[in-house]
Amino acid sequence: MNKQIDIHAYQPELAHHFDTINRQWVESMFTVEPLDDAMLKDPEAFIINKGGYIWFAQHPELGIVGTCALCKHGDGIFELTKMGVLE
């Protein structure tokens, strides 16, 4: 199996992976809180449009397998806010 992982910047058509992967990780250990739910459903409004970033890890055979996000809090100030990989 090819083990190369490609990293892709946020694109609207990948948003559902952000929700699915993060939700799976959070629900395996915690409860999805209302703010988390809103952020997972609309990452553009909560992260991208505020100057943040989202990346996706893509395996050539398995597809999108991971994601992470940085929320912008000020000039040069970012918080690693959401991250996860599929089981």
Side-chain angles (χ1 to χ4, degrees), residues 1-82:
M1 180 184 285
N2 186 344
K3 304 265 187 209
Q4 180 178 338
I5 300 292
D6 292 318
I7 304 300
H8 301 282
Y10 179 82
Q11 298 170 23
E13 60 269 16
L14 297 176
H16 69 280
H17 294 291
F18 184 75
D19 186 328
T20 301
I21 292 170
N22 281 293
R23 194 173 296 277
Q24 179 188 75
W25 184 85
V26 171
E27 289 177 345
S28 73
M29 294 180 278
F30 307 102
T31 300
V32 176
E33 297 180 8
L35 179 58
D36 292 319
D37 184 58
M39 187 181 292
L40 295 176
K41 288 179 179 175
D42 193 359
E44 282 190 50
F46 283 86
I47 299 169
I48 300 298
N49 294 346
K50 294 181 178 182
Y53 301 94
I54 299 173
W55 294 280
F56 298 89
Q58 181 177 18
H59 186 279
E61 296 168 10
L62 303 175
I64 301 296
V65 295
T67 184
C68 69
L70 294 177
C71 280
K72 186 174 183 177
H73 291 292
D75 273 348
I77 301 170
F78 292 86
E79 171 191 6
L80 179 59
T81 184
K82 298 286 181 240

